[in-house]
Amino acid sequence: MSVAIQVDRLSKQYQLGVIGHPRLVDDVNRWWAAFRGRPDPLSKVGKGNKAAAKNHDETFWALKDVSFEVKEGEVLGIVGRNGAGKSTLLKILARVTAPSEGEARVKGRIASLLEVGTGFHPELSGRENVYLNGAILGMTKAEIKRKFDEIVAFSEIEKFIDTPVKRYSSGMYVRLAFAVAAHLDPEILVVDEVLAVGDVAFQAKCMGKMGEVAKGGRTILFVSHNMAAMENLCSRAILLEGGRMVESGPAAEVIRRYLAVPMSLSKMSLTTRKDRQGAGEIRITNIEVLDVHDRPVQYVSSGQAVTLRVHYSCSTPRVYSNCRIILGIMKDARPYFMLPTEVVDRRRLDLEGSGFIDFTVPELPLSGGDYVIDFYIGSESVTQDAIVAACPLSVVDGDFYGSGRDCPRGFGGQYVLVRFDWRLGESVGHGTPVAR
């Protein structure tokens, strides 16, 4: 089996606060490569320029020394937390940006779904964008015409196919973009997290289509936070951390290591965490787990009242208006429930100086297990601070239902608890249920 993608010591450096000015020749070469159709076997995606990647006080490496190979027909998963370098890697392979060092070679035509609506012209209709996207992917008009009805049927937006895509919802964008990429027979299909925008039924449909593509011998690079989908679709995976590849192997093994990372991170002090996102003018400095008496606790029980106290500090002497804070209770990279400030109180949340905000859950609706708390804080539509696995949340089984019994463990894994009631009925006459 020959090599479809070869990545050799690939690195990408960015200068903070500076908008780059790409050379005209780079743009011309990139567009020419896209329009000319099938590239030569293992044609270069890009070769790094070390002179352009000089060290600078305000630079950081989004990728550093990443090397791997993907065989033809292989489905490779790429996993990692936000900021790990996944999207940067895919953008280099899709010729959206050039590497600073190293090089990547690909064999065959790449169809990429990196961001919602990428490659669509907002003023053109869905029909016109299908032909435009197909041309960019190197397809002839006859090939696109032959596949057109199948593409539209898959996207399920027949009624809107002649509507300008600027009027499409993000879900409609995703449907059409995925339909085009998956049906125009690319040798390599690159899919980032865009499918999370679609509804559950369409996500399942897309997963089935990618399975068909893989069985047809085409190569897929797949990025997703849905670990179940990753494990079912991918034969192999790589794990990125801080721009570096830290593991490569069978998908199940790589996923297990990835899911083990949040718990270890959550035990680190927030003052030492370097993987946070946002402008940083407001920082979360600590999160405490408190019982009903405002005492810090190491464990909480199912059904117990718990308060999550979020301490914050503003770096400038001003008022930050219209803030919003979201806490996410997570397990194995999946959200169990979210606590956004704006859904329970419509008052303005204006922050200044330093202080804390309490999130109180009257009855913790979780079965026993180890969870982590993610957080986001933003002001005036600007992300100020966001971090995954900011704090551990250890839950022990308790008498959630007030029946004198702990939660049943026979279902396996952890789950959300809900209050409910039941009653026994009997059928009389023509089957009419009667409660008793």
Side-chain angles (χ1 to χ4, degrees):
M1 188 180 296
S2 60
V3 176
I5 301 174
Q6 187 174 49
V7 174
D8 183 24
R9 298 184 65 83
L10 205 61
S11 300
K12 179 65 178 179
Q13 187 184 57
Y14 288 104
Q15 185 168 334
L16 297 177
V18 175
I19 299 175
H21 299 281
R23 298 178 304 159
L24 176 61
V25 65
D26 292 334
D27 285 337
V28 172
N29 287 339
R30 184 167 66 249
W31 281 104
W32 171 244
F35 273 99
R36 69 180 180 176
R38 298 176 182 270
D40 297 330
L42 287 179
S43 62
K44 289 184 182 179
V45 170
K47 186 172 183 179
N49 181 355
K50 290 188 177 182
K54 294 183 294 184
N55 290 331
H56 191 281
D57 289 343
E58 297 298 325
T59 62
F60 78 99
W61 292 94
L63 281 180
K64 188 64 175 175
D65 294 331
V66 174
S67 300
F68 62 90
E69 289 185 351
V70 186
K71 304 293 186 183
E72 286 185 346
E74 186 176 13
V75 183
L76 178 73
I78 304 174
V79 297
R81 301 190 314 278
N82 292 337
K86 306 184 301 296
S87 295
T88 300
L89 173 60
L90 296 188
K91 286 177 180 179
I92 292 174
L93 295 177
R95 297 185 175 93
V96 174
T97 189
S100 302
E101 294 180 1
E103 64 181 29
R105 296 173 178 269
V106 299
K107 180 181 179 182
R109 181 173 50 236
I110 293 182
S112 58
L113 276 170
L114 302 183
E115 296 175 3
V116 176
T118 298
F120 280 9
H121 192 296
E123 299 296 334
L124 299 181
S125 68
R127 181 186 303 274
E128 292 165 327
N129 272 293
V130 169
Y131 281 90
L132 175 62
N133 251 230
I136 291 174
L137 291 173
M139 304 296 289
T140 66
K141 186 175 181 179
E143 288 176 295
I144 301 169
K145 187 175 182 180
R146 187 172 66 250
K147 291 275 188 176
F148 184 83
D149 290 342
E150 189 178 349
I151 291 169
V152 176
F154 186 92
S155 69
E156 301 175 0
I157 60 167
E158 293 95 331
K159 292 193 298 184
F160 307 98
I161 195 62
D162 291 308
T163 300
V165 298
K166 67 181 180 181
R167 306 189 190 282
Y168 283 13
S169 67
S170 58
M172 293 167 67
Y173 261 109
V174 168
R175 288 172 179 268
L176 191 58
F178 183 87
V180 173
H183 285 82
L184 292 184
D185 298 327
E187 283 79 16
I188 301 170
L189 179 61
V190 178
V191 183
D192 204 344
E193 193 63 73
V194 293
L195 296 184
V197 180
D199 57 59
V200 174
F202 189 71
Q203 288 179 42
K205 188 175 181 179
C206 292
M207 291 300 299
K209 184 61 180 179
M210 284 192 286
E212 292 178 18
V213 170
K215 290 177 182 177
R218 284 177 278 172
T219 307
I220 297 177
L221 298 186
F222 183 53
V223 171
S224 177
H225 288 295
N226 185 333
M227 294 298 106
M230 179 78 70
E231 189 166 355
N232 288 333
L233 185 66
C234 303
S235 56
R236 191 166 65 90
I238 64 174
L239 173 61
L240 298 179
E241 290 182 7
R244 296 180 180 270
M245 190 178 78
V246 296
E247 186 163 338
S248 173
E253 294 180 10
V254 174
I255 289 170
R256 274 195 295 272
R257 172 167 175 177
Y258 168 67
L259 294 179
V261 170
M263 186 53 64
S264 61
L265 282 175
S266 69
K267 297 175 182 178
M268 296 174 59
S269 168
L270 289 180
T271 59
T272 64
R273 294 284 295 271
K274 305 297 184 183
D275 56 335
R276 53 209 312 161
Q277 308 289 316
E281 295 179 4
I282 308 174
R283 285 292 198 208
I284 301 301
T285 57
N286 189 27
I287 298 179
E288 294 182 285
V289 180
L290 309 175
D291 65 11
V292 68
H293 303 293
D294 278 355
R295 296 175 301 198
V297 291
Q298 186 175 1
Y299 298 95
V300 291
S301 176
S302 302
Q304 176 183 335
V306 61
T307 295
L308 306 176
R309 177 164 292 174
V310 180
H311 295 263
Y312 68 88
S313 178
C314 303
S315 63
T316 60
R318 52 161 287 200
V319 176
Y320 292 87
S321 302
N322 295 322
C323 294
R324 62 195 298 255
I325 300 177
I326 303 174
L327 297 187
I329 311 303
M330 313 288 290
K331 174 73 174 180
D332 293 343
R334 299 182 180 92
Y336 273 64
F337 61 82
M338 312 297 284
L339 304 175
T341 51
E342 70 267 24
V343 301
V344 294
D345 196 329
R346 298 185 63 85
R347 290 179 298 171
R348 288 168 59 99
L349 178 58
D350 299 334
L351 301 180
E352 62 178 321
S354 61
F356 64 83
I357 301 171
D358 284 347
F359 291 76
T360 299
V361 180
E363 294 180 312
L364 188 66
L366 295 175
S367 62
D370 292 323
Y371 304 82
V372 295
I373 301 171
D374 292 1
F375 76 70
Y376 164 93
I377 183 169
S379 64
E380 302 165 313
S381 301
V382 175
T383 297
Q384 291 290 350
D385 198 11
I387 196 167
V388 299
C391 173
L393 180 65
S394 296
V395 182
V396 295
D397 285 321
D399 186 11
F400 178 84
Y401 296 102
S403 62
R405 300 179 61 185
D406 285 348
C407 305
R409 305 297 295 166
F411 299 112
Q414 280 75 54
Y415 41 86
V416 175
L417 304 170
V418 295
R419 288 202 171 276
F420 70 99
D421 198 2
W422 64 269
R423 59 181 181 168
L424 179 65
E426 62 182 14
S427 296
V428 297
H430 296 288
T432 304
V434 176
R436 56 173 175 167

